[in-house]
Amino acid sequence: MTKVISRRAICFSTAVLTLAAAIPNFAGTAYAAGETIKLGLVAPMSGPNARYGSFSMRGAQLAVKEINDAGGVDGRKIELVSGDSQGTPVEGVSATRRLIDSDKVDFIIGDVSSSVTLAMQPVAEDAGILLLNAASSNPKITYGAGVGGYKWTFRNYPTDENRALIVAKYAAEQRGFTKFSVLSVDSDYGRSAIEFTKKYLPQYKGQILTEDYYKEGEVDFRSVLAKIRDSGAQAIILYGLADTTPIIARQMTEVGLAGKVPVIGNGEFNTPSTIKAAPRALEGAVEAAAWLPAWDAPKSKAFVDKFTAANKEGPNNHAYVHWETVHLLAQAIKEAGSPDREKVREALSKIKYDSAVGEVTFDDHNQARLPMILLQIEGGKPSIKGAFTAEIQYPAK
Amino acid sequence: MFSTLAEQIINGIVTGSVYAIVAVGMTMIFGVLRAINFAHGEYYMLGTFGAWFAIDYLELSYEASIVVGILATIVIAYVVGRLVMQRMVGAPAEAGVLATLGIALILQNTVILVFGGGYKFFSGGYIEPVSVLGFTLAQQRMLILVVCLLVFIGLELMVTYSRMGKSMRAVSQNIECCEVVGIDVPQVVLRTFILGAALAALSGVLTAPVNVNVYGGMGELITFKTLPIIIMGGLGNVRGTFFAAMLLGIAESLVATYIGLQFRDTVGFVTLILTLMWRPYGLFSTEARF
């Protein structure tokens, strides 16, 4: 038995199909109720920064689950799509393009590395996709955002400028250090933190005796640590990667710096496994972080408990900031009344969001006003010395 | 001043020992196969992962984990050797490059798929510092130094006196003649390959306690560091590799101290370029071998 398909039938069905395919385009950005909201997450899921990506992903996943379990944002579920930046700008840009072009995401959160975020900004801008950064600290990201240029970039994370200032101030005033050695990661994060440290150190009569930057993945610090030991520095300014901190700390013990010269800066000095790797080297370490698990606020404690229950290990800073940022975005979508990108952007610039470290508002450079938390390792545990917010002085254009 | 210099040279020798154990395997494989094994760093990674697995999952001691790491690598190297390396005898150079690069990708990504891309914390080893001649070193580094010397003495003796060493040298000189006099070339290739991979694994397991982190991509950096060493040492030359590794280790250490840590990784490539320009047959041989 054969079925004859007439030419007319083909013409007709083609016309119908074309029309059907065209309808979503006619509809444009008018979202149907109940449709999912696609949220892209660009993070280093492999490579030397994979630890950050893994925590970021799990933080974001937890927030998405919480939102969806509570019925979504005005009835719309959030779908999380992951893009691997490998911590390098080239891969970060490809991942961003893939999320925009093939996954058709509505919003992007990313990346952790400042170098990658800086490269993603123009891509998001061209596509008119909201890029909400949750974990990069280089000040240039928001120097160039909002009234500074990129309309679609927002950052919900404090900057290196704030961080460098409070670390330098604490080291000088509370610890009485004047001679420093620099050992930071060779990236936009490590270098900008030192740039701003140099801006503020003279105010506290501090001087830098040696200055070295390590490549991501470096494992041998004995030579440079011996040089620092012989230079007579009182503290090592370390803006590094969390995974490298235990290596540096162990080798500090090896060359005889442990217990004599503390590290100050940032690089997850307060993580229990890091302290366990070299307790003597990290005693007295000073760190400025956006958040830490020991932060004493009910919302923060509840997050730590929930994350630990779901993952069999405690969260880090990146898990927290991504969890919080997904909730922030959800609130912005809710206040906008629809996932329309223009409206969400408007809502975000006016938002008053109640985060675990205080109320979040954005300035005219789309930069969140957020505190840095200062802590010191005492008796093998982080002891919080306070939270400091600084209004950013943008360079005159 | 003098003690700083002496200390940095010792640091360089320790670093060089790690490179030397990895590089010597790579250079021997080159000797018999005439192919650079771009997957060599992956066996370093596999050894370390095996040991980490033994400590974290099987709760074995560090000493036992060394054995587990090396045995696991030998099994994988046997499979790769049978399936891939033996077919490369007499194959054109491009075949070797493609095959070994492919193996590197497969091994690396399999490990990432199975264990995840994140860094693992290696908890075994002897990391307590000891004082030697006024310098402090972790015990583990002393161990690396001693093992490196033993490995090279053993290899010298093997290459010079044992039947396997002699057949390895024969294969590296002339494959056709070996076949004529009854040397089983594929067998020699397989054995050399397994020996080289096992040495890379040994180096990985010994270094893990001081490098702390274990992750899927860790072999890549090692491959790139060993490449200049085997070329400087004269491809296929065991003794040359030892001295080239020490030279690179010391040079890196001095650059990190007196110029800056960020320039450390350039040392290997600069020396590679210089060697290729002026002594493409290596620093320690008087003439080109082929």
Side-chain angles (χ1 to χ4, degrees), chain A residues 41 46 69 83-84 90 119 187 216 225 239 259 312 318 327 330 354 379:
Chain A
L41 176 74
S46 60
D69 286 354
D84 182 7
V90 177
S187 71
E216 291 178 359
L225 288 172
Y239 288 95
K312 296 189 194 96
H318 298 94
H327 278 295
D354 197 19

Side-chain angles (χ1 to χ4, degrees), chain B residues 18-271:
Chain B
V18 176
Y19 295 160
I21 306 177
V22 186
V24 74
M26 196 157 160
T27 211
M28 288 191 312
I29 295 169
F30 181 87
V32 292
L33 272 177
R34 290 277 171 272
I36 291 196
N37 181 17
F38 285 103
H40 206 67
E42 309 315 323
Y43 301 101
Y44 171 92
M45 179 269 292
L46 286 173
T48 320
F49 255 93
W52 166 79
F53 186 84
I55 291 175
D56 267 36
Y57 285 76
L58 312 175
E59 289 173 8
L60 297 176
S61 66
Y62 176 62
E63 295 78 9
S65 80
I66 300 180
V67 181
V68 174
I70 295 173
L71 283 181
T73 311
I74 287 177
V75 171
I76 295 165
Y78 177 78
V79 175
V80 174
R82 284 303 293 265
L83 293 178
V84 184
M85 303 313 270
Q86 284 190 332
R87 291 168 203 241
M88 278 159 47
V89 179
E94 307 87 72
V97 173
L98 278 180
T100 55
L101 271 178
I103 291 168
L105 286 175
I106 293 170
L107 291 177
Q108 208 181 97
N109 288 292
T110 309
V111 166
I112 292 175
L113 270 178
V114 176
F115 296 106
Y119 280 42
K120 278 85 189 154
F121 188 85
F122 195 92
S123 50
Y126 315 97
I127 47 162
E128 279 310 304
V130 284
S131 194
V132 188
L133 306 170
F135 308 118
T136 49
L137 276 177
Q139 291 162 341
Q140 188 73 28
R141 289 187 203 271
M142 311 279 293
L143 182 67
I144 293 172
L145 206 62
V146 172
V147 170
C148 173
L149 286 175
L150 291 178
V151 162
F152 272 86
I153 292 169
L155 284 178
E156 271 301 322
L157 294 176
M158 187 202 79
V159 169
T160 323
Y161 298 108
S162 77
R163 185 174 162 80
M164 182 181 164
K166 284 179 188 164
S167 54
M168 271 167 58
R169 278 190 294 152
V171 171
S172 74
Q173 281 167 15
N174 196 322
I175 290 179
E176 284 81 10
C177 288
C178 287
E179 282 165 345
V180 169
V181 297
I183 293 174
D184 186 351
V185 176
Q187 197 61 32
V188 173
V189 166
L190 183 67
R191 283 183 185 164
T192 313
F193 177 68
I194 291 176
L195 177 65
L199 284 174
L202 172 70
S203 176
V205 183
L206 287 178
T207 335
V210 286
N211 288 355
V212 192
N213 291 330
V214 183
Y215 59 101
M218 65 193 290
E220 229 165 75
L221 203 68
I222 290 292
T223 308
F224 287 126
K225 292 250 167 151
T226 28
L227 204 57
I229 294 172
I230 66 167
I231 293 173
M232 274 198 292
L235 290 158
N237 184 341
V238 171
R239 213 174 303 168
T241 305
F242 178 80
F243 290 109
M246 293 300 166
L247 263 178
L248 185 70
I250 294 168
E252 278 192 352
S253 175
L254 294 179
V255 165
T257 316
Y258 296 106
I259 301 179
L261 186 60
Q262 58 269 41
F263 298 106
R264 185 191 165 100
D265 286 348
T266 54
V267 177
F269 295 107
V270 169
T271 43

